[in-house]
């Protein structure tokens, strides 16, 4: 895992958007895996700016969202479908036919999950998966105990997740109890992973998933087993890490690798 610690939320957003933009430049028909929530809002705003001011082209980009609340129609203002269109898709030149988001109000969720996995496969797999992290360590909605082999499926939300996400709803009772989510196994098959996190309330879980033991109780620890995972944190989310100096040294001295190789 490569750990980049940034000064604040804005810098975290800019650095992560730049990384995504570079990947889109490198492969115009890239397959992105995308997350919702508070964390990536700034990243998406910055991507919109890069699209508008620098011409970043989304016309061939395909995207698959991680998850959606079960029971919410795509037009519901708390649905992740609504979030993605409001925060990113409607501001860039993505082809709506290339946008895949789990459908919360689908009649047969089980069959839908199989279909969703097939579409990811048909697209050639996910090139770059963007992730946030829940305070319980979830990636997607892979709550504590989710198998590292899990695929897209319906998952019951953990109590802490329901409490955390209540801020988006009028009252806690309105938060759906289930979601459709890509599995840990689905996420781990992405060629590259980018996890972003900010704020004091993510400091404990960031220390646990980066420096703690691998466990399905904190599904983000699975990223320790991925061969290309980038983690970009703000100062607060990084504040409980033990090896900050080392991560910063690596970030600032990458250029030395070339020198060493040339010796
Ligand atoms: C959302 C998702 C979740 C969030 C996580 C953090 O699509 O998959 O794992 O990334 O719950 O949410 P925020 O960013 O709101 O703290």
């Amino acid at each position: 895992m490569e750990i980049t610690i940034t000064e604040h939320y804005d810098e975290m957003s800019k650095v992560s958007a730049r990384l995504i933009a570079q990947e889109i430049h490198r492969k115009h028909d890239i397959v992105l895996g995308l997350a919702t929530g508070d964390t990536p809002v700034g990243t998406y705003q910055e991507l919109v700016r890069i699209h508008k001011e620098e011409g970043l082209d989304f016309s061939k980009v395909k995207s698959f969202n991680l998850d959606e609340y079960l029971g919410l129609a795509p037009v519901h203002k708390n649905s992740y479908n609504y979030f993605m269109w409001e925060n990113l898709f409607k501001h860039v030149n993505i082809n709506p036919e290339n946008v895949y988001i789990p459908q919360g109000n689908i009649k047969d969720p089980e069959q839908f999950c199989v279909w969703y996995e097939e579409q990811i496969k048909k697209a050639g797999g996910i090139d770059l998966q963007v992730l946030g992290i829940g305070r319980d360590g979830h990636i997607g909605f892979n709550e504590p105990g989710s198998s590292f082999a899990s695929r897209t499926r319906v998952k019951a939300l953990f109590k802490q997740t329901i409490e955390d996400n209540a801020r988006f709803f009028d009252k806690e009772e309105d938060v759906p109890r289930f979601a459709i989510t890509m599995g840990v196994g689905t996420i781990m098959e992405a060629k590259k992973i980018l996890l972003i996190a900010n704020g004091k309330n993510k400091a404990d879980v960031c220390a646990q998933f980066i420096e703690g033991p691998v466990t399905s109780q904190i599904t983000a620890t699975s990223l320790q087993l991925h061969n290309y995972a980038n983690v970009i944190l703000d100062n607060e989310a990084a504040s409980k890490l033990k090896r900050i100096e080392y991560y910063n040294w690596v970030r600032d001295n990458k250029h030395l690798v070339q020198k060493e190789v040339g010796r």
Side-chain angles (χ1 to χ4, degrees):
M1 270 196 288
E2 194 170 312
I3 316 296
T4 303
I5 301 164
T6 61
E7 277 304 310
H8 41 60
Y9 179 78
D10 277 1
E11 196 193 344
M12 179 205 79
S13 304
K14 284 192 177 134
V15 173
S16 54
R18 191 49 70 189
L19 197 145
I20 298 168
Q22 273 165 4
E23 293 296 321
I24 298 176
H25 280 308
R26 195 168 297 160
K27 190 177 178 203
H28 294 282
D29 58 350
I30 191 170
V31 180
L32 294 176
L34 295 176
T36 57
D38 277 338
T39 314
V41 169
T43 303
Y44 294 156
Q45 277 168 359
E46 182 61 11
L47 277 176
V48 170
R49 191 199 63 73
I50 299 174
H51 164 71
K52 292 204 163 128
E53 293 176 15
E54 300 173 23
L56 181 66
D57 182 16
F58 284 79
S59 62
K60 297 205 167 65
V61 172
K62 261 199 183 146
S63 77
F64 287 87
N65 260 78
L66 277 168
D67 40 22
E68 179 61 282
Y69 289 118
L70 194 68
L72 296 196
V75 291
H76 193 288
K77 73 172 180 29
N78 288 122
S79 76
Y80 286 167
N81 183 84
Y82 186 87
F83 172 99
M84 286 311 299
W85 282 96
E86 286 303 305
N87 286 285
L88 180 64
F89 296 147
K90 80 174 188 192
H91 308 288
V92 297
N93 63 333
I94 197 161
N95 178 351
E97 283 178 12
N98 287 342
V99 170
Y100 294 80
I101 303 174
Q103 202 180 318
N105 61 348
I106 197 84
K107 277 217 180 83
D108 186 342
E110 237 173 77
Q111 199 188 338
F112 178 86
C113 292
V114 172
W115 177 86
Y116 202 69
E117 288 275 339
E118 279 169 7
Q119 300 317 301
I120 295 174
K121 240 187 220 136
K122 255 198 203 162
I126 291 170
D127 293 302
L128 175 65
Q129 175 66 57
V130 179
L131 299 172
I133 183 169
R135 284 195 305 137
D136 63 1
H138 69 217
I139 47 176
F141 274 133
N142 292 289
E143 299 290 34
S146 295
S147 161
F148 283 5
S150 53
R151 313 301 307 187
T152 303
R153 68 210 184 291
V154 172
K155 190 76 195 162
L157 300 185
F158 198 52
K159 192 170 174 291
Q160 192 176 33
T161 302
I162 293 168
E163 285 164 11
D164 284 350
N165 290 5
R167 68 191 190 278
F168 299 111
F169 293 80
D170 293 337
K171 33 187 190 345
E172 197 176 305
E173 299 85 84
D174 294 345
V175 184
R177 266 39 185 174
F178 297 92
I180 294 175
T181 180
M182 280 186 203
V184 180
T186 321
I187 293 169
M188 288 292 282
E189 277 172 16
K191 293 171 192 92
K192 295 182 181 179
I193 291 186
L194 166 63
L195 185 146
I196 52 180
N198 70 287
K200 268 192 220 116
N201 65 345
K202 298 286 173 72
D204 283 320
V205 78
C206 284
Q208 284 170 332
F209 99 86
I210 294 168
E211 296 177 338
V214 173
T215 166
S216 66
Q217 293 304 311
I218 300 170
T219 54
T221 60
S222 61
L223 302 190
Q224 293 181 26
L225 306 174
H226 196 279
N227 68 357
Y228 195 109
N230 244 304
V231 178
I232 303 180
L233 307 173
D234 77 346
N235 237 335
E236 290 185 342
S239 58
K240 296 206 171 155
L241 291 172
K242 290 199 189 90
R243 302 188 181 89
I244 294 180
E245 260 179 52
Y246 174 67
Y247 306 134
N248 287 343
W249 190 89
V250 172
R251 181 196 59 199
D252 297 338
N253 290 282
K254 273 187 204 160
H255 60 284
L256 293 181
V257 174
Q258 262 338 79
K259 267 197 194 157
E260 292 295 321
V261 172
R263 267 185 192 200

